Structures are given as C-alpha cells and as structure tokens.
Amino acid sequence: MSTPEGPTAAVSEKSAIEESPPQHGYTADKDAYLRRLRRIEGQVRGIARMVEEDKYCIDILTQVAAVTKALHAVSLGLVEEHIGHCVIGAASEPDPGLRAEAIDLKVKEAADAIGRLLR
Amino acid sequence: MSTPEGPTAAVSEKSAIEESPPQHGYTADKDAYLRRLRRIEGQVRGIARMVEEDKYCIDILTQVAAVTKALHAVSLGLVEEHIGHCVIGAASEPDPGLRAEAIDLKVKEAADAIGRLLR
Amino acid sequence: MSTPEGPTAAVSEKSAIEESPPQHGYTADKDAYLRRLRRIEGQVRGIARMVEEDKYCIDILTQVAAVTKALHAVSLGLVEEHIGHCVIGAASEPDPGLRAEAIDLKVKEAADAIGRLLR
Amino acid sequence: MSTPEGPTAAVSEKSAIEESPPQHGYTADKDAYLRRLRRIEGQVRGIARMVEEDKYCIDILTQVAAVTKALHAVSLGLVEEHIGHCVIGAASEPDPGLRAEAIDLKVKEAADAIGRLLR
C-alpha cells in the first residue's frame, strides 16, 4: 500500500505501527469504547446521586440493571475483538508448533474471560 | 396525620421527613452504598484508562467482569432491602383490602426488578 | 370462612390443609410449574440428541441459551412466590419478636437464593 | 474428491467420514457432553419431583441455580470449542478473500452466541 516514492521515515513509521500499538482488536474502535465507558461512568455517578437523594429502591435497581447491560455490551465487543484479532493472530503464526501453542493460549484466555462474564 | 394546630405543624412534619428520611430500606446503609458506588465509578474510570493506554483486551475484560460483579452485589443489597422494608411495610398496612393490593404491587415490583437483573 | 352449620369433616379438612402441603406459594400453580419443567427436561434431551447427531455447535448453544432462559423464568416465578407467601407469611406472625426474626430469616433466604441465580 | 475407482471408494470414504467425524470442536468430547447433559436432564426431573412433593421453594431454587450453572459450564465448553475449531478452521482457509469472510462469519456467530448466554 505504501508508494515507492514515499519518504523512508513514513515507511518505517508504518511498519513500527504494524508491529506495535494497534495490536489489540479494540484499538480501531477506541474512541467508541471510551465514549461508552464515559457514559457508563456518568450512569454510575447518577446512581450515587439517586442514593444520596433517597430515590425509590426499585428505580435505583432499574438504573443498576441498565449499567450492567451496558457493561455486558462492552464486554461482548471486547470478546468479539479478542477472538477476531488475538485468536486469529495466533492462527497466522507461521511456525506450526508455536502456532498450536499460541492458539491454545488465546482460546483458553477467551474462554476464561467469557466464563468470568457468565458468573 | 396532620395535627389540629394547622399549617406550621404540617410544615415541620414535612421537614422532619426531609431530614430523617429512612423511608427506604437502603437509607440506613446509605454511606456504605455511596462508598461502593464511588469505588465502582473509579473502576469504570480505570477501565477507560486501560483502553486509552491500549492494555490487553483480556485484562480489560477481567476488570469489566469485576465491575459487573460489584454492581450485582449492590443490586442484591437493594433487592434485599426492598423486600425487608417495602414488601414488609406493605404487609403491615392495617386495612386488609389495601394491604393485599399494596403487597401485590411491592412483590410484583421486586420480581420485575430481579427479572431485569437476571437478563 | 367456614359456616357454623358446616360438617365437622370440612373443618378438620381445613386445619389439615393449614398444617400441611399447600404451604408454599407455588402450590397453586403446581401443574403449570410441572408442565414447564417437563418441557425443559425435553429441551435438555433434545440438546443431547443434537450432540449425538453432531449438529453445529452454534445451534446447540442457541438451544442451551433457550433452556437457561426458561430456567430463569421458573426461578423468577418461584422467587416471586417465595416473597409473596413465605416472606409475607412471616410478616403476619402475631408475636412481634418472633415476627422480626421470621421476617429476617425469610428475607435473607430470598436474597441468598437471588444471589445464587445472579452468579 | 472421489477417486476414479468408483462406488466402493465412495462408500469407504463415506464410512471414513462417519467414523471420524470431528467436524465440530466438541466431537472429541462427545461422550463427556452426553454424560453431562444426561445428568442435567436428571436434575431437571429431580426439580419436577420436588415441586410434586411440595418441597420448600428455596430448596427448589437452589437446584434450579445448580442446573443453570451446569448449563453455563456446557455452554462455555461449546464456545471454547467453537473458537478453537470453527474460528481457527476459518483462519486456515487458504484463499485470503474467502478466509477473511469465513473468519468474520465464525467470529460473529461466536459473539452472537455469547451474547445470548449473557442475556
């Protein structure tokens, strides 16, 4: 994708990027995740305010359920990206021995993470 | 319920209510709930920081699961207090007709709230 | 509710009822619960058949999720009836000391049961 | 894929498939899954028996929670095997265009299945 006339600096920057940070699946949607987490943080603060103002317990419970649901959605997005990037990344490891090991590790991590969400 | 002395009495009764509001079950533990919610708010902020710093998705998922668990514990406390106060309060309504109706309403509210948590 | 001219048999039947079986909230809906549980049992058997026939894992997961949802609905019904009958029953205990203790016990049982469902 | 030797070859190929069907991740553990599902089926039957015998609602709820937990464990195993086999299988598709598409499909299926479990 890089043109042959492009500056060397840009090329090395590109490969540096390829080898580092965006290593995680969620990086592409980073801003969207941050926005969702800020909103969740605000919702939790809103629940604290409801407790402070002695709001009706059932109304507080409704808000807590909404936050739990929003966190589930964030989790699900992260799991999907872990599978789509980390697991698939392990599957593209060229050495077959290392590949099998890397896949096992990543699949196990995914299953453990899902298990923690189900509990 | 208002005393024959008229409006002043009613006003002071109102402010007494405003100042001593243990009308909900959780009020006695209000400070404990507020502390827990502040901690959860901090945890959510910590998760946003992890996303910002491109932390490993599985580590983020572990934190999200911890927050979900903490919210479940808060919910459970609120449900327990709803049952112990609002439902039981309805059961002590002296008029039998109103009592049956009040109990039905409070039990239904509790079941609906638990249903939202289970989903 | 029993008329003064009523047969003695009816009276003793009534006290037998009071002292025995239909003491639980779900008894009135017993047949409905049994039907739902039979259906769930059949669904689990269907899942085993899918495994036997090497059906696609995602289709099996869809069925497992459906059974989990059906069990949640049964749980929610039982919790609602526990609150509406056992907790409320404790609240009608005439001795105030015993009543407070009975309520605490039944509310605690309900909260523990809900906690197990949330986990 | 069938050899020119005709029907016999095709038949033996077919029986080879029938005898070595690890087309799904869970096939290797098929017997273990069937045993777990039979046990779950028995537990559901046991819950129906408890309802029939008017057992205490809280004890029934404890059993329902145990079955839900056992189903979660089955789900988690199936999800792990879906990721380890179906997703990874898609990643080993030699054609890069088909591979990307196959991965997307399998990851999406996994995420949707996990989403249904979380609900």
Side-chain angles (χ1 to χ4, degrees), chain A residues 3-20:
Chain A
T3 51
E5 65 280 16
T8 324
V11 169
S12 57
E13 196 184 298
K14 189 180 160 269
S15 43
I17 286 168
E18 268 168 1
E19 277 153 40
S20 49

Side-chain angles (χ1 to χ4, degrees), chain D residues 55-111:
Chain D
K55 295 290 185 223
Y56 186 42
C57 43
I58 293 292
D59 294 333
I60 300 176
L61 276 168
T62 302
Q63 291 309 310
V64 175
V67 173
T68 307
K69 220 179 151 180
L71 282 170
H72 269 166
V74 166
S75 306
L76 200 55
L78 289 171
V79 165
E80 184 167 358
E81 285 167 3
H82 173 73
I83 302 173
H85 289 80
C86 308
V87 175
I88 293 299
S92 66
E93 158 66 45
D95 182 299
L98 293 179
R99 181 169 64 236
E101 212 178 298
I103 288 174
D104 281 358
L105 175 68
K106 294 300 174 187
V107 171
K108 185 78 177 55
E109 278 183 347

